[in-house]
Amino acid sequence: MRKYKKSDIFNEIKGRVRFKESLKRHTSFRIGGAAKFFIQPKDIADLKLVLISAKKYNIPVFIVGAGSNILVDDKGLEAIVLSLSTAYFKKISYSQQYLEAGSGFSLNRMVSGAARHGLSGLEFLIGIPGTLGGALAMNAGAWGKKIADIVENVTVADYHGNIKKLDRKNIRFVYRGSSLQRYIIINARLRLCKKKKKEIQNTICEYLKARRSSQGDLALSAGSIFKNPTSGSPAGKLIEQCGLKGRRIGDAYVSPKHANFILNKNKASSTDVIKLISLIRRRVKDKFNIELEPEIKIWR
Ligand SMILES: Cc1cc2nc3c(=O)[nH]c(=O)nc-3n(C[C@H](O)[C@H](O)[C@H](O)COP(=O)(O)OP(=O)(O)OC[C@H]3O[C@@H](n4cnc5c(N)ncnc54)[C@H](O)[C@@H]3O)c2cc1C
């Protein structure tokens, strides 16, 4: 990091700038220290200003959506955390076959909005507590479907502040990841299809019911901790077969309902969670000779 005065970076920013902002408030795990700078840019011009300053003074930049797939270190981050959560990044519009939304838009609100417009294709995302930006970066999916399948194009900024529109064919999506993680996602156009509203609503209800019965109460978690191995049993089954359901370190414990979830009982630290992750990986490696790979992003 190069030497700078706060005024060098923040004076021109029209959005909200907070200093030493606790990231507990911005993650579903409710774990983690403070970000040195927490910035909600007002619009693209603001975003560019932040990115240019970050490059100039060599300050690392992290992007948070709804924080539902992130574990933040208790020591916090000597960095700028960008949150695209102002009105500019939460716009949405619908047409006959498409939906276009800002990256800060909530997935659940997007699913219900599309349903109200008789647009089908997003129902599988119901119950995922993220934003559109987070879902594209992570290639979020459920019930055998993934967001990659409905992407038409995505507008992004690179870390120099250049804006470009990427067509689907120029984006690489993999299981729980994508080449979009190299950028700041600004908005996206998704391809949907017309269907009877009642049918869409029924599918949404079925997915929600199935989610509740397989996952139980997931308050203070970050979703699946590990990716499923490419073949054989899913990660949750392997962890369960190691007898680790309910296993606790500090205030972090393996969900008794779905073993691929770690829950924060109350005051879990990032160290508690990381120790539990290491224990699980060791046990699964010893018993099945499988290396579980974390799905969550660990920020430190
Ligand atoms: C209870 C629960 C259930 C879940 N169920 C599922 C599920 O069924 N399927 C599934 O796939 N996931 C699931 N998840 C995980 C998570 O909700 C998804 O991965 C979600 O898409 C993440 O979105 P987010 O906005 O919270 O992203 P964050 O957690 O904030 O960020 C995740 C990653 O995306 C990056 N990112 C976020 N926004 C942007 C942006 N605008 N530009 C560039 N990068 C960005 C971040 O830098 C980070 O690397 C679940 C989580 C919970 C807590």
Side-chain angles (χ1 to χ4, degrees), residues 7-8 17 35-36 64 66 82 87 96-97 102 131 162 166 173 186 192 219 227 232 260 267 269 276:
S7 55
D8 293 339
V17 181
K36 185 161 186 174
V64 67
L82 267 178
Q96 276 302 313
Q97 268 191 306
T131 58
N162 305 306
L166 302 173
F173 285 103
I186 294 171
L192 304 174
K227 294 180 184 174
N260 198 11
K267 291 195 170 137
S269 62
L276 198 50

Side-chain angles (χ1 to χ4, degrees), residues 129-249:
T131 58
L132 175 59
L136 289 164
M138 298 303 297
N139 191 14
W143 318 114
K145 296 167 197 262
K146 52 201 183 314
I147 198 161
D149 301 336
I150 51 172
V151 171
E152 188 76 7
N153 58 53
V154 181
T155 303
V156 297
D158 66 19
Y159 281 79
H160 296 277
N162 305 306
I163 309 293
K164 50 184 162 183
K165 189 181 264 191
L166 302 173
D167 280 334
R168 167 68 183 86
K169 60 178 188 308
N170 296 321
I171 305 169
R172 186 165 166 265
F173 285 103
V174 292
Y175 169 56
R176 296 299 174 266
S178 74
S179 54
L180 294 169
Q181 289 181 10
R182 288 205 297 268
Y183 300 100
I184 294 116
I185 300 162
I186 294 171
N187 68 23
R189 185 173 163 90
L190 306 179
R191 191 180 355 92
L192 304 174
C193 61
K194 278 280 179 195
K195 214 182 217 177
K196 287 199 180 104
K197 291 181 188 173
K198 184 82 192 136
E199 273 179 50
I200 300 175
Q201 209 49 56
N202 288 344
T203 312
I204 290 175
C205 288
E206 276 163 32
Y207 281 140
L208 272 178
K209 219 161 105 194
R211 193 170 270 278
R212 281 191 201 112
S213 78
S214 68
Q215 296 179 344
D217 179 15
L218 295 175
L220 310 196
S221 80
S224 294
I225 294 290
F226 298 103
K227 294 180 184 174
N228 288 321
T230 41
S231 61
S233 297
K237 259 276 154 294
L238 299 173
I239 301 167
E240 184 178 344
Q241 284 166 2
C242 291
L244 289 171
K245 267 189 168 176
R247 179 64 193 258
R248 184 169 165 178
I249 293 184

Side-chain angles (χ1 to χ4, degrees), residues 242-263:
C242 291
L244 289 171
K245 267 189 168 176
R247 179 64 193 258
R248 184 169 165 178
I249 293 184
D251 250 0
Y253 67 108
V254 178
S255 162
K257 181 96 180 166
H258 191 309
N260 198 11
F261 285 78
I262 290 180
L263 307 180

